[in-house]
Amino acid sequence: MTETRENGAPPRAKNEAAGPLRPAAAMVRVRRYASLLAAGWISVVLLSLVWNIRQQSKEVHDFAVLQARRRFETKRSALVIRAGGREDTTLPISHIAAVLASEGATGRLLPTEELPPGALRAVNKSEGSNGGTVCRFSGIGEKEEVICAGAVRGSPKCARCHAAAGETGTVVGGLEVRVPVAPIRALVRRHIRSFYVSHAAVGLVGLLGIFAGAGRFARGVRERERLERARGEIDRRYGILVETSPLGIIAHSAGKIVFANREAARLIGANDPDELIGLPSLSFLHPSYRDVVAKRVNAIYDANEPAPLLEEKFVRTDGRIIDVEVAGIPIEIEGRPAVQVVFRDITNRKETERKLEEIRGRLRSVIERAPVILWALDRDGVFTLSEGDGLKHFGLKPGEIVGRSIWDLFGEHHDTIEMVKRALRGEEVSGDSEVAGRVWDSSYIPIRDEGENVTGMSGISFDVTDRKNIEKEREALITELETKNAELERFTYTVSHDLKSPLITIRGYIDLLARDIESDDRGKVAADIDFIAGAAGRMKRLLDELLELSRIGRTVNPEEDVDFGGLASDVARLLEGRLHEERVSLRIEPALPRFRCDKTRMFEVLQNLVDNAIRFSAFGAERVVTIGARAGDDGPVCFVKDNGIGIEARYREKIFDLFEQLDPARGGTGVGLALTKKIIEAHGGTIWVESEGTGHGSTFCFALPGRELPDEGKR
Amino acid sequence: MKENGSGAPPRILLVEDNVAHANLLLAGFERRGLVAQIRRARDGEEALDILFGETYDPPPPPDALLLDLRLPKIGGLEVLAKVRASGPLSSLPVVILTTSDAESDLAGASQSRADSYLVKPVDIGRLAAVLDGLGIRLHRKGETL
């Protein structure tokens, strides 16, 4: 594009480059004009001098004639009378003769009253001023004098007298005046001298004026030339600037485009700027901007002030729409108001802006919804940013705490404050902290200026409460599973051992039985069979109880309100036969509590505990088993108490383990207490045994916290 | 010491909670004509009482211990550990007789320096051989007396 512009510019650029007059030429011209003018002036002055001299010279005679004429009127000097037409060459005045010869006898009649010698006087008298005689220049005399003569005719009276004297014919005569030329010539010469002086002066002054004027004019020309040069330079540069401008430039006047540069053509999609000339000024404007821009143009014309930048849309000749940024400037073109429109393509910028805005919007919506808090502090711990959905846990709106100090707001959260301090010292730290009842995994990042000085910090805090809870739950679950697994292993081990035991018995006794049958020892055979039957019976019991044990936790009966008084009575009824057989008396204390629980399982609990008490009650003495309750820390504690053999402290935990029997001789399978414990624990309760030692009886206690029901009587 | 110079049969302490198993062992001895002075303890506590307590009479300790592992009150491995830790009885020959063939039990017994480990049902001949290996010769009926 740049290349095209440079190559395309010449037609205009060349014109501009031809530019103003060269300075020397103008000055030469001025000098030439001044010289010509001076020469002309000198010629005029010389001509005037010559003409004046000639004129003066010529006028010497005229002046003499004039003087002669004037004198003719007053002082005629000669009178010659001739009669009869006779040619008298002897007349003293030849000039009069010449006059007479040329005029004939046309001269005026002379009065005849006076005759010569008084004749001249008479002529002068009768003729008045000039006697009616025309004075004529008749020549220059020998003594260089101007002679004027006039002819006169004698009257008939004259003729009579002259005839009497022998003179016949017409009487004619003449008058003559002579004026010397020399004095006049001297006067003229004086005049001519003064002409020389005056013409020289006038010529000189004129020349001075011419050269002074020329000098001044030359200075003016130089100044104008300089200005023109400067302006030419500016124009040329401006022309190049406009042509090569990376901005589109269009000028329009009276609604028509009158100028467009290359960039404007390129942006609009025209091949050449000239294609745009003459088109309507708003023809490339997107229709949706027509009204706005039309008002703008009017405003520019009205106020004669530039219009600020406005983002508009242009429709290119190929139909593509581009975003442009447009400024309008009022100008004048050939004396008419016009608008210069400067614009540039901001399509890419708008596209970038749009994308950025989209990204920003997406980010904002993410931040607004994400369980995070984005925050930043300045060097003094004052919030400069607080964003994110996590703020709701603090009851804060985004940006609400901007301008407030973290020391004031969260000063008591020492973990957080410590990490903030470290970040403000330039350390990048992260860690969990518990604030507003939530767990936050926060990163604290120092913000540095160009000089690497810490100017603040930014923080991002993720709400990891749920994750932490899940982790805790998972850990608890894992622990529970591990416990269960270990329990299961123990269980498997125990079960395999204890189930094998009767099998070994059976197998061993079958061998013995075979031998005893062979030897026909009836007593031993019966004993062998007893052992085998006992082992088989034991095995069945073990399997039954194991099955029962496995049901706990798998089979869940609906919970109901259970009155333990009633439950104890039911147990007493079930075990009535055995109690009687073993001579054990069962006492049930009044006012047993009521619990919300699985009634069937709780029945098993009481049954097992009572059964256990019967088996371990003391031999001899009075055997008593008591079911009762007492107040405990977590609600009522139920107990089954016997006055039997008691349990040493070190076995009080062990007895609840599966198949643990302190005294196998007392019967049982070692499952009963394990089963009981499992039921109690399934209800969230605890079971334990109290005994003051061997011989002092045992008390099995259990508590079911949170399951106690209010006493019916008290309700 | 293991075999009394007087020719009296070796004294054996059998620690076995299960009466039937104890009877089977005794029946096995009897059938093979093996003679030993066998005393039975029903649990670990009783065994320790017999070994270390005052209740055993005559005072000399047994020549061997046949020890079950799963016992009421105090388990067999604990009894073994106590025996090994005691001064005078630390080298008492101990044979474990148990239904368990669990690795953990075997390892525990080995660790506590049990002399032998036999899984029930016990072959009496084998037990006699083991005891013989430990220097305890069971008398055969009619051998002496």
Side-chain angles (χ1 to χ4, degrees):
Chain A
M1 188 60 226
T2 314
E3 223 171 291
T4 319
R5 202 182 293 141
E6 279 170 359
N7 293 342
R12 289 145 181 265
K14 268 180 191 163
N15 288 341
E16 303 291 349
L21 291 171
R22 286 212 313 280
M27 283 309 294
V28 166
R29 208 177 288 179
V30 169
R31 271 186 215 126
R32 195 182 298 155
Y33 285 143
S35 305
L36 281 174
L37 203 60
W41 177 247
I42 291 167
S43 306
V44 166
V45 170
L46 282 176
L47 274 174
S48 164
L49 189 66
V50 168
W51 185 78
N52 270 306
I53 290 169
R54 276 189 64 185
Q55 209 61 18
Q56 287 291 325
S57 303
K58 210 168 78 188
E59 275 177 11
V60 169
H61 284 96
D62 292 350
F63 196 66
V65 169
L66 199 66
Q67 258 190 346
R69 280 200 180 130
R70 212 176 300 152
R71 197 176 289 177
F72 183 82
E73 285 168 7
T74 53
K75 289 181 191 172
R76 293 164 191 134
S77 58
L79 176 64
V80 177
I81 302 295
R82 210 167 41 124
R86 225 181 15 182
E87 200 70 37
D88 186 356
T89 54
T90 61
L91 277 172
I93 305 166
S94 56
H95 292 94
I96 292 175
V99 169
L100 289 175
S102 64
E103 290 188 358
T106 59
R108 294 191 58 194
L109 285 174
L110 286 171
T112 54
E113 283 88 18
E114 295 162 43
L115 287 171
L120 185 57
R121 194 171 54 237
V123 169
N124 284 341
K125 202 177 167 180
S126 64
E127 289 297 318
S129 62
N130 59 7
T133 303
V134 177
C135 174
R136 293 180 190 280
F137 173 70
S138 50
I140 298 193
E142 284 165 10
K143 293 176 179 172
E144 209 189 359
E145 52 199 358
V146 169
I147 304 162
C148 284
V152 288
R153 204 157 38 103
S155 62
K157 281 179 180 176
C158 294
R160 261 178 284 162
C161 291
H162 278 275
E167 294 171 341
T168 58
T170 313
V171 178
V172 290
L175 299 172
E176 182 193 77
V177 173
R178 291 178 180 250
V179 173
V181 172
I184 296 169
R185 183 159 298 172
L187 190 68
V188 165
R189 281 207 187 97
R190 270 207 310 281
H191 276 198
I192 286 172
R193 272 201 300 278
S194 74
F195 279 162
Y196 281 135
V197 173
S198 65
H199 273 77
V202 167
L204 211 56
V205 167
L207 281 177
L208 281 175
I210 285 168
F211 284 113
R216 205 164 163 180
F217 183 69
R219 274 200 300 281
V221 165
R222 268 203 300 276
E223 181 63 19
R224 209 176 65 227
E225 274 175 356
R226 199 181 60 74
L227 288 174
E228 268 175 13
R229 253 195 332 271
R231 193 171 159 188
E233 181 77 1
I234 290 167
D235 282 353
R236 195 169 57 82
R237 287 191 185 160
Y238 180 71
I240 293 169
L241 185 69
V242 167
E243 272 309 319
T244 60
S245 168
L247 298 172
I249 299 173
I250 282 178
H252 60 78
S253 179
K256 299 275 185 209
I257 292 175
V258 294
F259 171 82
N261 73 349
R262 301 212 145 259
E263 181 65 5
R266 191 185 71 83
L267 290 178
I268 288 164
N271 295 322
D272 192 275
D274 291 342
E275 285 178 19
L276 306 178
I277 309 296
L279 293 173
S281 57
L282 304 183
S283 41
F284 315 110
L285 196 63
H286 191 275
S288 61
Y289 285 89
R290 290 256 156 89
D291 290 348
V292 178
V293 175
K295 278 182 196 157
R296 217 163 112 89
V297 170
N298 287 338
I300 293 172
Y301 279 131
D302 291 349
N304 199 34
E305 274 176 12
L309 285 175
L310 180 70
E311 286 179 6
E312 301 171 11
K313 282 183 195 297
F314 280 6
V315 184
R316 280 166 56 92
T317 52
D318 58 11
R320 198 152 64 77
I321 294 171
I322 56 170
D323 289 295
V324 284
E325 193 173 52
V326 185
I329 304 144
I331 55 169
E332 242 181 43
I333 294 176
E334 291 169 352
R336 297 175 67 188
V339 173
Q340 180 165 289
V341 180
V342 180
F343 59 98
R344 62 177 169 150
D345 184 0
I346 54 166
T347 311
N348 289 342
R349 197 184 81 192
K350 292 293 277 184
E351 180 64 13
T352 310
E353 276 175 8
R354 196 185 58 71
K355 279 184 186 156
L356 267 178
E357 189 46 49
E358 194 183 311
I359 291 167
R360 209 175 290 148
R362 233 181 275 161
L363 266 178
R364 197 178 303 121
S365 68
V366 165
I367 290 167
E368 275 168 8
R369 286 167 183 75
V372 299
I373 302 175
L374 287 180
W375 50 287
L377 301 175
D378 67 10
R379 207 197 313 254
D380 302 321
V382 174
F383 279 98
T384 55
L385 172 79
S386 70
E387 292 289 339
D389 188 49
L391 287 167
K392 71 183 178 197
H393 296 296
F394 294 82
L396 294 172
K397 288 189 204 63
E400 191 181 330
I401 52 172
V402 168
R404 297 183 61 190
S405 158
I406 193 168
W407 321 125
D408 297 346
L409 290 168
F410 299 102
E412 77 274 19
H413 296 284
H414 302 296
D415 296 356
T416 306
I417 291 295
E418 187 50 41
M419 285 195 263
V420 165
K421 281 179 180 168
R422 282 168 64 188
L424 288 178
R425 283 198 295 264
E427 196 182 337
E428 206 166 295
V429 283
S430 61
D432 289 354
S433 52
E434 207 174 321
V435 186
R438 312 286 295 176
V439 183
W440 302 94
D441 176 3
S442 305
S443 294
Y444 306 76
I445 302 139
I447 303 172
R448 295 170 196 275
D449 62 10
E450 286 146 9
E452 288 295 302
N453 303 309
V454 177
T455 58
M457 60 149 295
S458 63
I460 177 163
S461 302
F462 293 91
D463 183 351
V464 292
T465 315
D466 294 341
R467 200 182 75 199
K468 289 279 169 189
N469 285 345
I470 288 168
E471 275 172 17
K472 267 186 213 160
E473 275 171 28
R474 201 182 59 193
E475 273 164 26
L477 203 65
I478 287 170
T479 311
E480 194 188 327
L481 275 176
E482 280 170 353
T483 313
K484 284 252 161 86
N485 201 32
E487 204 173 276
L488 190 68
E489 266 177 31
R490 252 193 341 268
F491 179 79
T492 314
Y493 168 82
T494 317
V495 165
S496 68
H497 181 278
D498 282 61
L499 283 179
K500 244 195 242 170
S501 214
L503 277 174
I504 288 162
T505 308
I506 289 165
R507 202 180 132 182
Y509 274 98
I510 283 171
D511 285 350
L512 285 183
L513 183 64
R515 226 169 272 243
D516 290 338
I517 286 171
E518 218 170 276
S519 60
D520 202 20
D521 185 338
R522 281 175 188 271
K524 277 190 178 169
V525 166
D528 293 343
I529 289 170
D530 274 355
F531 270 112
I532 290 170
R538 183 178 160 75
M539 188 139 191
K540 184 185 181 305
R541 264 203 323 280
L542 273 173
L543 287 173
D544 286 348
E545 287 181 0
L546 278 176
L547 201 62
E548 186 63 20
L549 189 69
S550 76
R551 281 198 190 115
I552 297 165
R554 267 199 302 125
T555 317
V556 180
N557 301 308
E559 293 187 347
E560 51 192 301
D561 296 352
V562 180
D563 174 19
F564 270 51
L567 201 64
S569 305
D570 292 346
V571 171
R573 255 195 303 284
L574 182 80
L575 296 176
E576 205 176 358
R578 230 183 122 216
L579 287 165
H580 181 73
E581 198 178 303
E582 301 274 349
R583 293 199 195 97
V584 176
S585 57
L586 178 68
R587 291 184 191 156
I588 300 171
E589 286 188 355
L592 289 181
R594 298 169 66 245
F595 291 104
R596 179 85 186 162
C597 58
D598 179 342
K599 188 175 180 180
T600 316
R601 294 288 174 214
M602 278 305 155
F603 182 84
E604 283 175 353
V605 166
L606 285 185
Q607 184 195 344
N608 273 319
L609 291 178
V610 173
D611 178 73
N612 201 58
I614 294 168
R615 264 190 280 127
F616 291 93
S617 55
F619 296 108
E622 191 192 1
R623 303 167 68 189
V624 181
V625 174
T626 311
I627 301 176
R630 61 169 202 249
D633 293 341
D634 291 321
V637 174
C638 294
F639 60 83
V640 176
K641 186 180 175 183
D642 63 61
N643 57 348
I645 58 172
I647 300 165
E648 282 181 57
R650 53 181 164 158
Y651 304 127
R652 281 176 203 159
E653 289 288 326
K654 207 176 174 184
I655 53 164
F656 291 104
D657 288 349
L658 186 62
F659 298 129
E660 283 298 338
Q661 288 175 290
L662 291 183
D663 187 357
R666 292 199 178 236
T669 54
V671 178
L673 284 180
L675 188 82
T676 302
K677 189 181 184 211
K678 203 167 173 187
I679 292 169
I680 294 294
E681 284 177 352
H683 280 79
T686 45
I687 183 164
W688 67 98
V689 65
E690 296 169 353
S691 174
E692 285 176 19
T694 314
H696 294 282
S698 310
T699 307
F700 284 85
C701 309
F702 63 89
L704 299 169
R707 290 183 172 271
E708 187 202 2
L709 292 164
D711 184 22
E712 269 187 328
K714 285 175 189 166
R715 271 192 303 191
Chain B
M1 177 177 167
K2 287 166 193 164
E3 197 176 349
N4 292 345
S6 63
R11 286 170 306 138
I12 292 171
L13 177 61
L14 170 66
V15 191
E16 173 61 82
D17 60 324
N18 191 316
V19 188
H21 289 191
N23 285 346
L24 278 172
L25 194 79
L26 296 177
F29 269 43
E30 193 184 339
R31 200 167 61 228
R32 287 185 175 251
L34 298 174
V35 180
Q37 292 185 49
I38 296 179
R39 177 164 184 184
R40 173 180 166 231
R42 286 170 300 174
D43 55 50
E45 192 183 54
E46 192 182 342
L48 291 176
D49 273 350
I50 291 167
L51 288 170
F52 301 108
E54 306 281 317
T55 53
Y56 191 59
D57 183 50
D63 298 317
L65 192 62
L66 299 181
L67 187 62
D68 193 0
L69 289 183
R70 265 188 65 76
L71 293 167
K73 295 183 180 173
I74 295 171
L77 286 177
E78 202 181 329
V79 172
L80 175 60
K82 286 223 158 93
V83 167
R84 290 290 180 243
S86 70
L89 291 177
S90 59
S91 55
L92 179 69
V94 177
V95 177
I96 304 291
L97 302 178
T98 178
T99 52
S100 167
D101 52 5
E103 285 287 327
S104 57
D105 283 338
L106 256 168
S110 160
Q111 219 161 27
S112 299
R113 290 180 284 128
D115 293 291
S116 189
Y117 190 101
L118 297 177
V119 178
K120 294 178 185 174
V122 179
D123 183 278
I124 300 298
R126 180 110 196 278
L127 176 62
V130 165
L131 288 172
D132 199 47
L134 291 169
I136 297 157
R137 287 211 48 213
L138 297 172
H139 290 242
R140 292 198 173 271
K141 243 180 195 165
E143 242 179 55
T144 54
L145 302 175

